[in-house]
């Protein structure tokens, strides 16, 4: 079979209709900012900030418990601290 | 090891129509309807090699994230390409081809991944590598994870009655996926929309799967196979074919890739849209995690085999007839607008914006 025989000439309009049905929007050179998922971006940066805050908090706790002055030393004690306080990695199944 | 499956007769089907029957033990193939052959298998002598090629092109690659875990979870011991395909019936989220036992009355309606539930446990393993629920995987392997392409850990998931692809990527890669969709909109080329989500405890990009019973994807890989080559270059028959089928959108894709410096437009990352059995034109663009990676326009662009800059020159000269119909002035206005810049800067840096604008001004 010749590959060209599988192609069908369609007008830009017909093709755009099929694409619109597929993607729920027309790609006509205009940007639809309405579907920009700012919420997802904000959540992502909040998660990042939360990670930083939790890390700082845990370093502080370890420093207090082992009477340490240095953050690096506190991180070296992390595994020991985790075992001592039975801190197991959390599971987060499903959507956020 | 039980290799009973090798003695059974199987068939490649397009929906419910048999394309060919084959026997692995005897390495035989009987063509039933050559008009229904996948494009990648056309233009070739009829031999058992067609079975081998179909299966090899179909399955996941060994360098895919958590490949070993997926195969283990699916209980696949014989990891030959053909066996992997038989185990998952070669079902995919790409097209309507699948493998079935010849003597069984199995129908497309009963097995296609679009309308039937697939294993979420395998999906979970495919994304996370976490084998905790591996023993809950059913004996019957029902998943699209064995026929997906790419190297990153990812999975298919059903949510709100839609199938989505979840891909574990870095924050920068996800944001490239997110913003490229808007640049594609400005250029007037269809593109998949990506969102950033926290799934199974990992930061991921999420996009909807656009294929369905009516709509299939023929990746560029298959067009290359038709022409019996692996090489993409602007002088090749494959390039001429895309230019014939959908010149404007093929050119738009290359312009977009120049603007965002997409370094991974490989043969699995673009293709043609088949609607109810007929090729209509370019499939909506997808997979833009390798854009804005700080590469130079003098780097190699896969589809043409020459640099990004030379590709642009090629389009402006040899394909001027089509290139001139694309409204690059308006595109420049939109990308240069304060509204777009504000959106862009939520995803990327000011330096990346300035660098992109320099390329936009070259159009």
């Amino acid at each position: 079979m010749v590959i060209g025989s599988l192609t069908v000439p369609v007008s830009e309009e017909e093709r755009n209709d099929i694409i619109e049905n597929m993607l729920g929007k027309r790609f006509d050179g205009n940007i639809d900012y309405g579907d920009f998922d700012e919420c997802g971006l904000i959540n992502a940066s909040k998660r990042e900030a939360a990670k930083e805050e939790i890390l700082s908090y845990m370093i502080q706790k370890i420093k207090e418990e082992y009477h340490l002055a240095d953050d690096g030393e506190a991180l070296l004690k992390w595994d020991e601290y985790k075992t001592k306080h039975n801190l197991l990695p959390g599971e987060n199944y499903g959507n956020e | 090891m039980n290799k009973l499956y090798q003695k059974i007769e199987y068939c490649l089907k397009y929906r419910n129509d048999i394309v060919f029957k084959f026997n692995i033990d005897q390495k035989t193939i009987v063509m039933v309807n050559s008009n229904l052959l996948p494009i990648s298998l056309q233009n070739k002598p009829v031999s058992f090699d067609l079975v081998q090629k179909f299966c090899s092109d179909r399955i996941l690659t060994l360098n895919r994230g958590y490949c070993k875990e997926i195969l283990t979870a699916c209980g696949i011991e014989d990891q030959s390409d053909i066996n992997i395909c038989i185990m998952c019936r070669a079902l995919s989220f790409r097209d309507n081809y699948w493998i079935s036992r010849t003597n069984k009355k199995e129908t497309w309606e009963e097995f296609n991944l679009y309308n039937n539930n697939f294993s979420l446990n395998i999906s979970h393993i495919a994304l996370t590598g976490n084998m905790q629920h591996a023993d809950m995987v059913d004996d019957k392997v029902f998943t699209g994870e064995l026929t997906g392409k790419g190297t990153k850990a990812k999975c298919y998931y059903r949510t709100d009655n839609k199938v989505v692809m979840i891909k574990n990527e870095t924050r920068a890669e996800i944001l490239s996926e997110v913003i490229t969709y808007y640049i594609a909109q400005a250029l007037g080329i269809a593109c998949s929309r990506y969102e950033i989500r926290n799934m199974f405890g990992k930061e991921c990009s999420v996009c909807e799967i656009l294929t369905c019973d009516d709509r299939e994807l023929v990746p560029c890989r298959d067009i290359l196979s038709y022409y019996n080559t692996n090489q993409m270059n602007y002088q090749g028959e494959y390039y001429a074919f895309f230019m014939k089928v959908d010149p404007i959108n093929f050119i738009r894709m290359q312009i977009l890739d120049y603007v965002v410096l997409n370094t991974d437009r490989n043969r699995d990352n673009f293709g043609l849209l088949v609607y109810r059995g007929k090729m209509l034109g370019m499939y909506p663009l997808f997979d833009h995690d390798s854009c804005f990676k700080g590469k130079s326009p003098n780097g190699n662009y896969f589809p043409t085999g020459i640099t990004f800059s030379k590709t642009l020159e090629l389009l402006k000269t040899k394909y001027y007839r089509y290139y001139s119909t694309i409204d690059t002035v308006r595109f420049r206005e939109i990308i240069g607008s304060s509204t777009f810049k504000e959106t862009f800067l939520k995803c990327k840096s000011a330096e990346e914006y300035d660098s992109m604008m320099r390329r936009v001004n070259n159009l």
Side-chain angles (χ1 to χ4, degrees), chain B residues 22-288:
Chain B
F22 61 96
N23 183 297
I24 303 163
D25 198 34
Q26 294 168 19
K27 292 201 176 346
T28 54
I29 178 170
V30 177
M31 188 60 63
V32 175
N33 188 346
S34 61
N35 287 329
L36 290 177
L37 270 174
I39 284 156
S40 60
L41 303 187
Q42 291 177 18
N43 213 10
K44 292 169 187 54
V46 176
S47 75
F48 191 76
D49 289 351
L50 295 186
V51 179
Q52 184 64 55
K53 176 162 179 53
F54 176 82
C55 296
S56 302
D57 285 352
R58 193 86 168 162
I59 59 160
L60 76 177
T61 50
L62 286 174
N63 61 350
R64 181 219 191 276
Y66 305 128
C67 173
K68 200 175 139 194
E69 286 80 358
I70 298 168
L71 293 171
T72 305
C74 293
I76 297 176
E77 290 175 22
D78 173 0
Q79 298 181 357
S80 65
D81 299 346
I82 294 178
N83 185 46
I84 293 173
C85 264
I86 282 172
M87 291 291 283
C88 66
R89 291 187 167 82
L91 290 164
S92 80
F93 283 107
R94 203 159 59 230
D95 57 39
N96 299 341
Y97 288 98
W98 62 300
I99 289 174
S100 167
R101 282 169 72 155
T102 308
N103 62 355
K104 281 207 167 182
K105 286 185 180 173
E106 297 177 333
T107 67
W108 170 249
E109 289 70 25
E110 287 172 286
F111 286 96
N112 77 78
L113 294 170
Y114 301 115
N115 302 320
N116 296 289
N117 287 327
F118 50 87
S119 168
L120 292 182
N121 284 322
I122 298 177
S123 294
H124 184 248
I125 290 164
L127 183 71
T128 64
N130 184 342
M131 299 290 282
Q132 196 180 357
H133 302 294
D135 56 346
M136 290 162 67
V137 172
D138 196 88
D139 283 348
K140 289 175 185 161
V141 178
F142 203 57
T143 178
E145 305 302 343
L146 292 165
T147 51
K149 289 292 175 188
T151 55
K152 290 211 167 79
K154 58 175 93 72
C155 76
Y156 298 103
Y157 200 75
R158 202 184 293 280
T159 173
D160 298 334
N161 236 358
K162 290 175 180 173
V163 179
V164 294
M165 176 187 275
I166 305 171
K167 195 158 46 156
N168 186 213
E169 301 181 304
T170 66
R171 169 79 58 85
E173 288 170 338
I174 299 169
L175 295 180
S176 291
E177 307 258 36
V178 170
I179 197 64
T180 301
Y181 164 72
Y182 294 92
I183 301 168
Q185 280 190 46
L187 199 52
I189 183 163
C191 179
S192 290
R193 177 171 178 264
Y194 287 80
E195 290 181 0
I196 183 167
R197 285 281 178 270
N198 191 29
M199 304 293 286
F200 305 123
K202 287 177 181 282
E203 204 154 78
C204 298
S205 68
V206 179
C207 74
E208 190 181 340
I209 294 297
L210 303 173
T211 49
C212 64
D213 259 0
D214 282 343
R215 299 185 300 249
E216 299 166 81
L217 163 65
V218 174
C220 176
R221 171 192 288 272
D222 290 4
I223 305 297
L224 291 167
S225 288
Y226 176 85
Y227 289 114
N228 296 309
T229 180
N230 286 324
Q231 300 295 315
M232 288 199 287
N233 67 68
Y234 72 94
Q235 291 160 317
E237 289 175 294
Y238 109 85
Y239 193 87
F241 182 69
F242 272 84
M243 275 294 184
K244 186 182 162 204
V245 175
D246 192 359
I248 303 291
N249 285 309
F250 189 44
I251 288 174
R252 281 184 179 134
M253 178 190 84
Q254 294 170 76
I255 293 175
L256 177 76
D257 289 342
Y258 168 78
V259 168
V260 301
L261 287 180
N262 181 4
T263 54
D264 195 28
R265 187 68 74 192
N266 65 57
R267 58 192 173 153
D268 290 314
N269 280 353
F270 69 106
L272 295 167
L273 169 64
V274 172
Y275 182 70
R276 294 180 180 167
K278 291 286 181 182
M279 279 186 209
L280 291 194
M282 291 291 291
Y283 190 87
L285 301 180
F286 55 92
D287 209 339
H288 297 118

Side-chain angles (χ1 to χ4, degrees), chain A residues 15 30 32 35-36 93, chain B residues 132 182 185 193 282 330:
Chain A
R15 191 179 166 279
N30 293 305
D32 175 9
D35 60 8
F36 185 75
Y93 296 113
Chain B
Q132 196 180 357
Y182 294 92
Q185 280 190 46
R193 177 171 178 264
M282 291 291 291
R330 180 166 157 68

